[in-house]
Amino acid sequence: MRAAQGFDKLGKSYLFSEVRARKDAFLKENGGTLIDLGVGDVAFPLPPSSVAAIVAAAEEMGDNVRFRGYPPEGGYDFLRQTIAEAYAEAGVKISDGEVFVGDGAKSDAAAFTTLFEPCEVVIPEPVYPVYLDSALLCGHRPLLLSGSKQNGFLPTPAALKGKEGLVIWLCSPNNPTGAAYDGAGLAEWVRFALDTGSLILFDAAYATFAGDGMPKTIYSVDGARGCAVEFGSFSKFAGFTGMRCSWTVVPHEIMLEKRRLQALWQRRQAAEFNGVSYVVQRAAQAALSPQGRRECRVVIDTYKRNSCVLGHIFQKHGVWHTGCEHSPYLWFECPRGDSWAFFDRLMRTCRVVGTPGVGFGPSGEGFFRLSCFTTPEIAREAAARLDSALPSCM
Ligand code: PLP
């Protein structure tokens, strides 16, 4: 028996496992503490509305009559409906049956890639590494599109002239760069996908971080229903990284030759997924209530303010950076080019951990990401350390 061929093509380890390993090795050798702005995990607890919903749902699960067993693999109707209503409020028509509840945008994204025969998968990078890893594991042929300072880290379909039938990942607002496509930028991709029989897989995990006037869903663009699947997550929006809840929208009209894509996803989920727990789905529903959303907004705005606090330091030292506007990340040019070497220097000099840009794709080399999912106090402490030590890291 042999391991699947895709494993030969994967990097040695998953990016964030490597970040953790280097951090742990440093602490073992040097002791003390580090400010960890590496892995983008949330810093604040669940919104109180979700906590109340968890308690109520736990009571139900302990009751002879109201107890529930296996959840439906596509999600409970109450959550599918609530998500569809949230789209309706944004002026987008999505039916409950087009929404599939999952246990994380990471697993949804990776699983979705298995629906296709090996094909060309377009990945504008630097970007969340899961698209590339999952494409390689499925035997797809990745086609990397390079983001740069020149194109604002927002590649366009211009480089894909003559190509057809592509699977195209778009992540907007982008992790790690914080760049976000505006309506015109997304419309260009949608037009390209419709013209070439391609499918867009749109990762909207950071939609609630996008600034005013920016699209929060690809379905705000005309024609997107005909060519785009959207992935949403409660992780960054409602602090659910430890709860695990997400959704995928698969519009009814999208066909893969003669087969309905929605039916394929439904079939795949039925075959390989057993749903998200009742308690978690009730908590997610509560996060989308008006009160829950207000609670989430306060936390999201705090993370965004953190990125401005850090951004100010890079501004002061004349270091090129982005990220404050549409994301909880700060993305900056490493002073000396090699982003893993900068990772080590920053850790040694400031005792601050970040993520080397090259881990998000070859075009990330020479750049660096700091996660702003932290408290304002820690963000200020990190900013102070960077302010005094940045010149010596350069
Ligand atoms: N998509 C992007 C762009 C992300 O950055 C992340 C997590 O960092 C995810 C998806 C994963 O989300 P989830 O926690 O729902 O699996």
Side-chain angles (χ1 to χ4, degrees), residues 40 103-107 128 131 171 175 203 205-206 233-236 241 244-246 329:
D103 65 357
K106 181 179 186 177
S107 26
Y128 187 48
Y131 317 145
C171 177
N175 171 16
D203 187 341
Y206 296 95
S233 171
F234 287 89
S235 283
K236 311 297 162 93
T241 51
R244 313 308 304 141
C245 198
S246 60
Y329 299 114

Side-chain angles (χ1 to χ4, degrees), residues 199-234:
L199 179 72
I200 294 173
L201 301 181
F202 187 74
D203 187 341
Y206 296 95
T208 43
F209 289 82
D212 290 345
M214 298 301 276
K216 310 287 191 290
T217 160
I218 194 159
Y219 302 117
S220 57
V221 174
D222 279 349
R225 279 191 59 94
C227 65
V229 167
E230 181 161 296
F231 300 89
S233 171
F234 287 89

Side-chain angles (χ1 to χ4, degrees), residues 327-341:
S327 88
Y329 299 114
L330 199 88
W331 177 250
F332 63 94
E333 198 163 17
C334 312
R336 278 195 219 140
D338 175 348
S339 56
W340 272 113

